[in-house]
Amino acid sequence: MSPTSRPTPSTRKSAASGSFVAGGLAGFAAVMLLLAGSLAVLRGIMGIAEDDVFVSTPNYVFKFDLTSWGWIHLVLGVIAIAVAAGLFKRALWARVIGVAVAVLLIIANFLSIPYYPAWSVTVMAVCAFVIWGLCVVRPDET
């Protein structure tokens, strides 16, 4: 073994305790999921409280009441924020659920593109980065 490949006492202690905050791609994914969840919560509040913010499209295939879309986004946003907290603590369950929540957020935003296009595309891009960040994490980063 080369001297550079040995773990130092500080890395052995932090890896064994598991109490430190996630770093690398897991940390990036946690921050991005927290951002996506926060944006979903804000969008949900806008849909529930004030329907006038959104564009009304009369002939949309996936037409729901805007209040319903608000509740969908609010619930997904709260779940995403909770999962992001788990990602910060490096929990394996959070990585699995994080990918699922990001996929659901992408689907919800895709279906609501006609109501708020720029916001939907932005959140979809953020969620794509979350999926990427959670799927390419090496086992030693979990």
Side-chain angles (χ1 to χ4, degrees):
M1 242 207 282
S2 68
T4 57
S5 66
R6 285 192 216 157
T8 63
S10 63
T11 57
R12 265 185 277 165
K13 180 182 176 190
S14 62
S17 68
S19 63
F20 57 94
V21 176
L25 288 175
F28 170 77
V31 170
M32 295 306 274
L33 189 60
L34 183 65
L35 174 67
S38 301
L39 291 175
V41 166
L42 292 174
R43 185 175 187 168
I45 292 170
M46 287 187 317
I48 294 167
E50 195 65 43
D51 289 342
D52 299 336
V53 174
F54 297 101
V55 176
S56 179
T57 54
N59 297 323
Y60 184 50
V61 175
F62 302 109
K63 186 174 183 177
F64 286 108
D65 178 36
L66 287 175
T67 305
S68 300
W69 276 119
W71 280 108
I72 290 168
H73 285 282
L74 182 66
V75 169
L76 285 174
V78 168
I79 293 170
I81 290 171
V83 171
L87 285 172
F88 281 119
K89 294 187 179 252
R90 301 171 54 117
L92 181 60
W93 64 265
R95 283 182 51 201
V96 174
I97 295 175
V99 171
V101 168
V103 167
L104 290 175
L105 280 169
I106 286 175
I107 292 169
N109 280 286
F110 176 77
L111 293 176
S112 63
I113 282 177
Y115 299 112
Y116 212 148
W119 190 293
S120 293
V121 171
T122 302
V123 174
M124 288 169 59
V126 169
C127 290
F129 280 117
V130 169
I131 294 170
W132 171 75
L134 292 177
C135 288
V136 298
V137 173
R138 294 185 301 259
D140 59 338
E141 289 184 6
T142 56

